[in-house]
Amino acid sequence: MNSSLSGKIALVTGGSRGIGAAVAKRLAADGATVVVTYVGSEDAASAVVGEIEDSGGRARAVHVDAMEKGAGTRAVAGIMANEGALDILVNNAGINIMKPLHAIEDEDYEQVFGVNVRGTLEIVRAASREMGAGGRVIVVTATI
């Protein structure tokens, strides 16, 4: 394990699978304590935490649904209460509704906007309030 991020606390939203899981594992391998968020699968998040811990890293998982107003703010508050600091935010959580354009309902739009825009703004804003000098915010986005 590399120690270039030793003593740093990282939050990776959507860290239970895919790109988020890979980022979480890499941050931990570089020495950061990592908090991963998940919505759908506690088992997947626990598996990521287990892999990090089996490699000698420190991690934990928390359920955060970016659709819920205040969820990002509560997640950051929890990190501050448990870890005492937040140095890195990788906002990777995002969703996409795969339907033909004519079939997209208002509820689909509200869900995508709620997670990808409002949820991102909320957690970035909450994290940036707590980060000291040298803190980093990384926002991962994807388009089809």
Side-chain angles (χ1 to χ4, degrees), residues 28-116:
D30 285 346
T33 295
V34 180
V35 178
V36 298
T37 72
Y38 68 94
V39 173
S41 176
E42 183 176 4
D43 290 341
S46 294
V48 171
V49 168
E51 287 182 51
I52 289 170
E53 290 174 339
D54 289 347
S55 298
R58 292 186 50 198
R60 68 182 179 95
V62 295
H63 181 267
V64 175
D65 184 348
M67 274 296 294
E68 295 176 12
K69 290 183 180 179
T73 301
R74 288 189 300 276
V76 170
I79 289 169
M80 297 307 294
N82 289 301
E83 278 75 38
L86 178 59
D87 303 293
I88 302 163
L89 167 64
V90 179
N91 187 76
N92 174 69
I95 62 168
N96 190 15
I97 305 291
M98 298 300 293
K99 291 182 178 179
L101 188 57
H102 68 273
I104 294 175
E105 304 288 336
D106 290 347
E107 294 80 21
D108 299 326
Y109 167 80
E110 293 298 330
Q111 186 176 16
V112 170
F113 188 86
V115 172
N116 296 357

